[in-house]
């Protein structure tokens, strides 16, 4: 859901029998108000919502992501045998973008530099099993997710390690391996081959069943990016073009969008394919002449950069595009995941952009209207009179 939370998209996936992975209590509520049945929603969150027990009673599946979350869960359901999932940080992680020497990366959510999930040693040393037995909980799911754009080899290693956690509780029915399947957006970037990484994982599941008296586990995955990344494109207009001269100079195309719609380039140094089209009303084709340009967004931030050096959001990288004029359209592909859902919405008071779903016949349908400006400040309140 966090990859792309528009209700029309959630409903589409729901109609295909795909369930929802929510990352906050608010996402759960949003999914339910889109009509997703509570039992088809799984919550793995950094902040357990106050009303988590109510959500569980409605049927939402919760994965406890820290010892304190498990403790709170236990207190709320003591002695009831309530089913719970446990998200474990398996000690290894992998993310798609640059990794610093400290092991930290913004898309890596496993390993010692990551706060996601219960550190695996707390399962091994009995801390987690003790809490589970103290409250009489039933562990039905083990969950691990190591990062986005993960290295397939690390993913496979973690899959085997995750199976070992399923042995700790005989009640575990499901192993959820999260998401993180790399999607190659640019030429030369490799997309995860699900058949290739799935083969050894299904072998490991079969082996698990063989070694454990025929106990067959269910596999769950959360392939957010994989399902939507290449299904979305950002359509923007070049609203200005400026050049500087001298050392370190560039030609800049300024689009009528930016980190208010797509934050990935400025946050991670993510690189998206870009194509230019003639602006509306133009009759002549865009010429074949090319130009090396920097594409920037409309926010008053030098970091609002659409063409960073790959993996280096602090650095500019020129992109060779067909020579553009003000008014031409720039289409940024690969924008279906973590773009509309993860942007600096309303920064500089730019209203949210409209969203359009194109059906299988190519017909467009509005699934979000452009936000009216007043909606940005409608919940602001004035201070009592006389304070200024
Ligand atoms: C628990 C969980 N599941 C699934 C995902 C989705 O990962 P992706 O969209 O890269 O497939 C994430 C991303 O961080 C996550 O934290």
């Amino acid at each position: 859901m966090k990859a792309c939370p528009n209700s029309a998209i959630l409903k589409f996936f729901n109609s295909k029998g795909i369930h929802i992975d929510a990352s906050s209590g608010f996402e759960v509520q949003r999914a339910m108000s889109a009509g997703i049945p509570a039992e088809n929603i799984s919550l793995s969150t950094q902040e357990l919502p106050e009303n988590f027990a109510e959500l569980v009673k409605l049927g939402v599946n919760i994965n406890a992501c820290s010892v304190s979350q498990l403790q709170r869960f236990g207190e709320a359901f003591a002695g009831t045998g309530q089913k719970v999932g446990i998200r474990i940080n398996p000690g290894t992680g992998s993310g798609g973008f640059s990794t610093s020497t400290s092991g930290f990366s913004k898309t890596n959510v496993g390993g010692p530099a990551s706060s996601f999930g219960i550190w695996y040693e707390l399962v091994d040393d009995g801390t987690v099993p003790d809490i589970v037995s103290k409250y009489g909980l039933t562990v039905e799911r083990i969950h691990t997710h190591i990062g986005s754009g993960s290295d397939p080899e690390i993913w496979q290693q973690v899959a085997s390690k995750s199976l070992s956690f399923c042995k700790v509780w005989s009640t575990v029915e499901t192993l959820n391996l999260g998401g993180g399947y790399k999607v190659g957006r640019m030429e030369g970037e490799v997309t995860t081959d699900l058949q290739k990484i799935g083969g050894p994982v299904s072998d490991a599941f079969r082996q698990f069943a063989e070694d454990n008296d025929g106990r067959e586990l269910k596999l769950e995955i959360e392939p957010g990016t994989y399902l939507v990344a290449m299904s979305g494109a950002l359509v923007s207009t070049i609203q200005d073009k400026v050049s500087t001269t001298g050392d370190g100079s560039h030609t800049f195309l300024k689009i009528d969008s930016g980190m208010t719609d797509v934050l990935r380039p400025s946050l991670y140094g993510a690189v998206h394919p870009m194509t230019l089209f003639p602006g509306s009303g133009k009759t002549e084709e865009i010429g074949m002449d090319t130009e090396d340009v920097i594409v920037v967004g409309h926010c008053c931030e030098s970091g609002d950069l659409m063409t960073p050096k790959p993996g280096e959001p602090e650095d500019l990288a020129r992109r060779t595009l067909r020579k553009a004029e003000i008014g031409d359209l720039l289409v940024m592909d690969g924008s279906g995941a973590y773009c509309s859902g993860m942007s600096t919405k309303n920064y500089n008071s730019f209203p949210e952009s409209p969203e359009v779903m194109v059906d299988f016949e190519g017909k467009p349908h509005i699934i979000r209207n452009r936000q009216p400006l007043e909606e940005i400040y409608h919940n602001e309140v004035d201070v009592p009179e006389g304070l200024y």
Side-chain angles (χ1 to χ4, degrees):
M1 178 167 180
K2 68 186 173 138
C4 193
N6 186 298
S7 58
I9 313 264
L10 302 183
K11 286 176 192 165
F12 171 76
F13 282 121
N14 184 53
S15 76
K16 305 282 171 214
I18 293 171
H19 292 191
I20 300 297
D21 161 39
S23 302
S24 73
F26 295 106
E27 279 194 349
V28 170
Q29 234 126 17
R30 198 169 160 187
M32 288 196 301
S33 71
I36 311 295
E39 59 277 16
N40 291 0
I41 302 171
S42 156
L43 174 65
S44 303
T45 178
Q46 287 283 76
E47 182 182 338
L48 196 62
E50 289 293 322
N51 67 341
F52 76 88
E54 267 166 59
L55 300 179
V56 171
K57 283 177 196 150
L58 289 170
V60 173
N61 304 285
I62 290 189
N63 298 313
C65 293
S66 71
V67 166
S68 83
Q69 285 190 11
L70 183 62
Q71 181 78 27
R72 279 171 66 195
F73 196 99
E75 283 162 11
F77 292 102
T80 62
Q82 176 62 49
K83 291 182 173 175
V84 67
I86 296 193
R87 175 167 177 178
I88 299 171
N89 177 340
T92 319
S94 173
F97 303 100
S98 71
T99 310
S100 71
T101 45
S102 67
F104 174 73
S105 144
K106 285 176 186 159
T107 54
N108 183 342
V109 290
S114 166
S115 67
F116 295 82
I118 299 178
W119 186 241
Y120 71 100
E121 285 173 321
L122 297 171
V123 178
D124 297 344
D125 74 6
T127 308
V128 174
D130 285 352
I131 300 174
V132 168
S133 358
K134 176 174 170 197
Y135 295 107
L137 298 173
T138 306
V139 181
E140 68 160 353
R141 175 188 290 98
I142 294 295
H143 186 293
T144 54
H145 169 86
I146 54 168
S148 290
S150 311
D151 177 341
E153 266 179 40
I154 298 188
W155 197 82
Q156 277 166 22
Q157 277 169 27
V158 170
S160 319
K161 189 154 184 193
S162 305
L163 276 168
S164 72
F165 301 126
C166 299
K167 287 191 195 151
V168 179
W169 294 278
S170 60
T171 49
V172 172
E173 292 168 3
T174 304
L175 174 58
N176 183 320
L177 292 174
Y181 309 105
K182 172 136 185 66
V183 171
R185 292 173 174 81
M186 299 293 286
E187 219 182 314
E189 281 182 358
V190 184
T191 295
T192 303
D193 180 342
L194 288 190
Q195 297 302 326
K196 202 165 147 197
I197 63 161
V201 172
S202 62
D203 290 346
F205 268 66
R206 277 192 204 101
Q207 191 60 49
F208 180 93
E210 237 170 73
D211 298 345
N212 293 276
D213 300 326
R215 187 174 153 206
E216 288 188 347
L217 294 174
K218 189 174 124 190
L219 169 67
E220 279 180 358
I221 54 167
E222 297 171 341
T225 300
Y226 198 83
L227 292 174
V228 290
M230 298 309 278
S231 318
L234 174 80
V235 181
S236 63
T237 302
I238 292 167
Q239 44 87 11
D240 210 346
K241 182 173 181 177
V242 300
S243 295
T244 51
T245 55
D247 259 4
S249 61
H250 299 284
T251 293
F252 297 89
L253 300 183
K254 302 187 186 181
I255 58 173
D256 65 345
S257 175
M259 60 196 229
T260 44
D261 295 297
V262 174
L263 183 64
R264 300 179 74 252
S266 4
L267 189 66
Y268 311 134
V271 179
H272 288 253
M274 289 175 178
T275 318
L276 276 161
F277 293 92
S280 72
K282 258 194 176 178
T283 47
E284 74 274 25
E285 301 262 310
I286 289 196
M288 291 310 283
D289 291 353
T290 59
E291 194 173 25
D292 291 344
V293 292
I294 301 291
V295 181
V296 295
H298 54 182
C299 290
C300 201
E301 283 292 337
S302 42
D304 189 5
L305 173 66
M306 300 311 234
T307 50
K309 200 166 148 195
E312 307 285 347
E314 306 294 325
D315 259 331
L316 309 180
R318 285 188 183 167
R319 186 75 68 92
T320 305
L321 295 175
R322 286 160 85 175
K323 214 164 187 169
E325 289 173 16
I326 293 176
D328 287 338
L329 301 180
L330 184 132
V331 174
M332 211 163 122
D333 275 300
S335 304
Y338 302 99
C339 289
S340 158
M342 182 193 75
S343 59
T344 54
K345 245 162 221 173
N346 297 154
Y347 183 56
N348 288 165
S349 297
F350 282 111
E352 260 174 271
S353 299
E355 289 173 9
V356 177
M357 186 192 268
V358 180
D359 69 20
F360 294 112
E361 274 79 49
K363 203 166 155 222
H365 304 273
I366 288 272
I367 58 170
R368 180 191 296 283
N369 289 318
R370 186 182 298 282
Q371 185 183 33
L373 173 67
E374 312 74 57
E375 224 175 69
I376 299 177
Y377 54 82
H378 80 105
N379 54 348
E380 291 178 0
V381 267
D382 215 347
V383 293
E385 232 175 284
L387 260 176
Y388 49 64

